[in-house]
Amino acid sequence: MMAAKPQYRGRFAPSPTGPLHMGSLLTALASYLHARSASGLWLLRIEDIDPPREVPGASDSILRSLEAHGLHWDESVLFQSTRLDAYAEALNTLKASGRLFPCSCTRATLGPGGSCLRRCKPGPDDPTALRIQLDESMGFEDQILGTQAPPGESGDLVLRRKDGLYAYALAVVVDDARQGVTHVVRGADLLPQTFAQLELLTLLHSPRPDYAHLPIVCDHRGTKLSKQAGAPAIDDKRALNNLRDALRLLRQPCADSPAATVDELLVQATADWDPRALARAAKEVLVYH
């Protein structure tokens, strides 16, 4: 008898480095609709493991914006700042692979692709990052972009920084496993990291989620919408219009529906959700004015 397929468990995992902008709302909405259309759960994780980059009050602002846009999550919010013991345990597991090594390289001395590959020789008093050497030989089938072949060259990845903070690459795979995430819907800017994350999941004996990478939203200058580039915060008071704008960018058929409320629009958007439109949109530049 075949084992039952696990229930769909998706997630949205913003960093509290500022309020939500249209690019992050689009990701939240797409991941929400992908989960709800599959009668699945939608989880929320706040990736607050980089205090120097975090903005005071940003976590609360993100939660309020999601609620204002009708994007209500299932289960308790997972804050990565409470998970440091789990990341330390994962590092201990990875040490058994024999691939971890200390690195004292600066950005100026790193090799191609930001790799060290054990060329440096840290002194006893040198601050060091902890890196892992990877094969990156695993391809995967992206639910939007199709077959993704592996890079075909080995590299390495920082798992713990010189300042002692854990890196996103480690925390994201540990927490996807912890939350039982079966599907990851996120921006295509994270696509290159997926190959390394798949390898880490294998080394940690964790299941592999299915991945779907969304087209990147740019401004009129062709610059990706991001907090670093100064993308404006979304206005929670115009939540219905914001959702319509995001649905248009996602090429969804219900963007111009006569729904009068956020909840009505989300119900219709869930029923009409068309991932094939995302595949068509992936071939275009999504521009938000």
Side-chain angles (χ1 to χ4, degrees), residues 11 13-16 45-50 54 78-81 168 171-172 175:
R11 51 84 162 169
S15 300
R45 179 164 74 232
I46 300 295
E47 298 192 332
D48 57 341
I49 54 168
D50 193 355
E54 291 163 19
L78 182 68
F79 289 85
Q80 286 190 329
S81 57
Y168 164 81
V172 68
D175 289 335

Side-chain angles (χ1 to χ4, degrees), residues 58-76:
S59 292
D60 288 340
S61 171
I62 290 170
L63 299 183
R64 288 195 302 270
S65 288
L66 291 174
E67 289 180 325
H69 289 78
L71 302 178
H72 304 295
W73 53 92
D74 301 297
E75 303 183 358
S76 300

